[in-house]
Amino acid sequence: MMPGLQYSLFLFFCLTSCQESPASQSCLNKQQLLATVRQMQQFLKGQETRFVEGIRHMKHRLTTLQNTLTKAAPEPQAVFCPVLEVPLHGKKFGTKNMVDHEVHFICNPGFQLTGSSSRMCQPNGTWTGEATQCKGVSECTPHFCQNGGTCVNEGEQYKCICSKDWTGSNCQYQTQTVPPTWSVTNDPGFSRKPRCAKFDHMQQCSCEAGFHMSGTSENSICQDVNECKVYKLEGAPGLCMHTCINIPGSYHCSCPTGYRLFSDGKSCEDIDECVLLLHNCTTGTMCINTGGGFQCVNPECPKPNGNVSYVKTSPFQCERNPCPMDSRSCHYAPKTISFHYLPLPSNLVTPTPLFRMATASAPGRPGPDSLRFGIVGGNSRGHFVMQRSDRQTGELILTQSLQGPQATQVEVDMSEYLGRSFQAKHVSKITLFVSAYEF
Ligand SMILES: *[C@@H]1O[C@H](CO)[C@@H](O)[C@H](O)[C@H]1NC(C)=O
Ligand SMILES: *[C@@H]1O[C@H](CO)[C@@H](O)[C@H](O)[C@H]1NC(C)=O
Ligand SMILES: *[C@@H]1O[C@H](CO)[C@@H](O)[C@H](O)[C@H]1NC(C)=O
């Protein structure tokens, strides 16, 4: 601030005093005045870049705040969708019927699913998709009866006659004590006694939701269905974003440390340690939230070198001090160096734009008439390209996905030209914090 203020007061003084007494000897000559004017212009340019950077930073902060608030806001009004029945000959996963919650269906072996395999509760209290049904196969297809069973036509229905030791509508269960692979058998906590009642001298037994019956008809037991495993075997994605934990009769999802389970019960959302003050960054360093954690950063300006020296003008920006008029090397050194920290998920789909760099020309003064953008450094340059996205803007594009966890750096520059003559160079140092997960 101070040098600029001095220039302007000085300039003002000169202009006014010279106008009043044009012959005054105390005035600077034209050359000196022009030099001062140029330095003033540079100073204003610097101020403007800083101002633009400041606004960008504030916008980013606001967006972050907005996101946090939107996520944290309670559902405006609890809307419920009607509870969906478990389809006959099928299973239902997911029990919540609030907005944005999903339920999934699968059919028992030998039955075909019609309608939707996943349905989501919409804000107007209706489910997406169509009613789900598990329909018996209408023909004796080769694999309808498993384990050596024979398919027979019985009126309109098709039925399996199972070979010895097999049972179930498709002969999929062994009549002996061996239950299907996806049931939990080695833990008594995951078994229940069936509820049985006698109808017409016939014993009828059933299991609670989330359990299935196995064993012989005289000696049956309800064993937990491992939803996590069934779902995986079915090749259906998305029961849980991270880890599925089977519990007796049901399941729940869990997230890695640094994340918490989102209100849909299946997604993981990052915990912003910086906003929630859960970080241990010391004073003088800044907290950067990353996927699953945080980093403490302290960007430093380059050390003075010859006529080139820098001053920190904001926590994330360095500006070059004015150069001696005739020092070429100083003039070519970066005029501003800014620092950027981007958290990224692992294995991001590419190509994806990561960062934009634009020029800011002072009002009433012609801006640079051409710009050149480039990648000047960093430890993984091969993953990026820098290209122009419009006349004033360059864009850093990730072209090869990055596998986390890792931190990597890339340095880009923008050179401004006016009438083919070099004006100034700006450098942005970008650090990417790639999380260990794809979310
Ligand atoms: C509920 O919303 C969905 C999508 O927003 C729409 O397709 C559907 O027709 C709506 N149903 C009713 C009953 O309003
Ligand atoms: C800050 O916390 C991290 C773990 O979150 C730990 O590894 C590190 O040692 C801590 N640093 C200090 C200075 O306490
Ligand atoms: C610094 O600038 C002066 C002109 O003001 C020049 O003579 C000198 O060579 C420069 N020094 C370096 C190290 O570039």
Side-chain angles (χ1 to χ4, degrees):
M1 292 287 165
M2 280 321 285
L5 197 60
Q6 276 166 8
Y7 290 145
S8 51
L9 290 176
F10 178 54
L11 194 66
F12 180 72
F13 171 76
C14 285
L15 289 175
T16 45
S17 62
C18 290
Q19 274 161 0
E20 278 161 12
S21 52
S24 166
Q25 290 303 304
S26 70
C27 271
L28 296 170
N29 65 31
K30 187 177 160 194
Q31 212 61 32
Q32 286 169 313
L33 261 174
L34 273 177
T36 316
V37 167
R38 243 175 263 133
Q39 284 195 323
M40 268 290 287
Q41 284 174 333
Q42 283 197 355
F43 166 76
L44 283 175
K45 185 81 197 305
Q47 287 291 315
E48 186 171 37
T49 316
R50 219 174 303 156
F51 184 69
V52 169
E53 183 70 18
I55 291 208
R56 205 183 60 80
H57 191 65
M58 264 176 63
K59 276 166 108 174
H60 176 76
R61 279 282 176 92
L62 274 176
T63 315
T64 314
L65 184 63
Q66 190 185 27
N67 286 346
T68 321
L69 285 176
T70 338
K71 277 184 187 165
E75 310 248 295
Q77 254 178 347
V79 174
F80 293 94
C81 289
V83 175
L84 293 174
E85 295 298 323
V86 179
L88 191 64
H89 307 300
K91 296 186 181 67
K92 179 180 135 184
F93 298 97
T95 50
K96 300 222 173 107
N97 58 331
M98 283 170 280
V99 174
D100 286 344
H101 287 260
E102 275 179 35
V103 293
H104 306 270
F105 300 97
I106 57 174
C107 291
N108 294 341
F111 291 86
Q112 258 168 4
L113 190 140
T114 60
S116 307
S117 58
S118 290
R119 302 182 72 183
M120 188 193 264
C121 181
Q122 303 181 105
N124 61 10
T126 64
W127 293 96
T128 57
E130 317 267 303
T132 312
Q133 282 186 306
C134 292
K135 289 198 174 148
V137 182
S138 60
E139 245 180 275
C140 283
T141 51
H143 301 294
F144 179 51
C145 301
Q146 300 166 23
N147 301 306
T150 320
C151 187
V152 293
N153 188 342
E154 212 176 60
E156 299 257 302
Q157 292 277 311
Y158 291 84
K159 197 182 159 183
C160 292
I161 297 176
C162 300
S163 50
K164 191 176 170 293
D165 295 345
W166 295 93
T167 184
S169 51
N170 309 97
C171 311
Q172 74 271 39
Y173 302 136
Q174 219 160 1
T175 41
Q176 297 315 304
T177 47
V178 184
T181 55
W182 36 261
S183 48
V184 182
T185 52
N186 52 3
D187 185 340
F190 286 79
S191 301
R192 299 277 186 276
K193 272 208 157 66
R195 289 172 296 197
C196 296
K198 273 207 165 128
F199 295 106
D200 296 336
H201 309 290
M202 283 269 291
Q203 174 111 319
Q204 298 276 336
C205 296
S206 65
C207 294
E208 295 167 38
F211 290 83
H212 78 94
M213 204 172 307
S214 67
T216 59
S217 56
E218 299 82 41
N219 186 18
S220 56
I221 185 162
C222 293
Q223 272 160 333
D224 175 52
V225 173
N226 185 337
E227 290 84 359
C228 305
K229 209 160 170 183
V230 178
Y231 224 76
K232 220 170 178 177
L233 289 176
E234 294 288 319
L239 198 55
C240 292
M241 191 184 243
H242 186 60
T243 307
C244 181
I245 297 172
N246 183 47
I247 54 174
S250 185
Y251 73 95
H252 65 78
C253 301
S254 87
C255 293
T257 38
Y259 295 84
R260 66 181 153 219
L261 200 59
F262 193 56
S263 58
D264 65 1
K266 99 180 194 185
S267 317
C268 298
E269 73 175 332
D270 179 48
I271 296 170
D272 191 333
E273 291 84 0
C274 300
V275 167
L276 299 174
L277 302 178
L278 299 174
H279 62 87
N280 59 2
C281 297
T282 51
T283 18
T285 66
M286 264 143 314
C287 180
I288 303 289
N289 182 47
T290 64
F294 64 91
Q295 295 281 334
C296 307
V297 302
N298 182 18
E300 278 179 14
C301 299
K303 299 263 173 303
N305 180 11
N307 291 320
V308 186
S309 65
Y310 289 87
V311 59
K312 212 160 177 180
T313 52
S314 80
F316 297 103
Q317 172 131 332
C318 299
E319 242 168 81
R320 196 185 63 211
N321 287 317
C323 291
M325 289 305 285
D326 49 356
S327 173
R328 260 177 86 79
S329 59
C330 178
H331 190 52
Y332 278 96
K335 189 157 169 7
T336 64
I337 299 173
S338 56
F339 300 85
H340 309 265
Y341 300 90
L342 307 179
L344 284 189
S346 211
N347 291 326
L348 205 59
V349 177
T350 55
T352 191
L354 292 180
F355 179 79
R356 286 209 168 113
M357 200 171 183
T359 184
S361 54
R365 182 178 157 245
D369 54 16
S370 72
L371 298 172
R372 272 179 217 166
F373 295 97
I375 295 180
V376 286
N379 48 17
S380 55
R381 296 163 66 161
H383 286 81
F384 306 93
V385 294
M386 183 79 185
Q387 67 179 37
R388 181 185 299 272
S389 61
D390 65 36
R391 220 180 65 80
Q392 301 241 75
T393 316
E395 211 166 38
L396 179 69
I397 294 171
L398 181 71
T399 53
Q400 275 178 55
S401 55
L402 293 167
Q403 174 98 47
Q406 64 161 311
T408 190
Q409 270 197 334
V410 58
E411 220 174 289
V412 296
D413 74 350
M414 172 179 76
S415 301
E416 301 173 339
Y417 292 82
L418 181 59
R420 296 214 177 150
S421 93
F422 174 84
Q423 298 292 112
K425 181 159 86 179
H426 304 273
V427 165
S428 294
K429 292 177 184 240
I430 303 149
T431 306
L432 304 171
F433 295 115
V434 187
S435 97
Y437 306 98
E438 297 185 4
F439 47 81

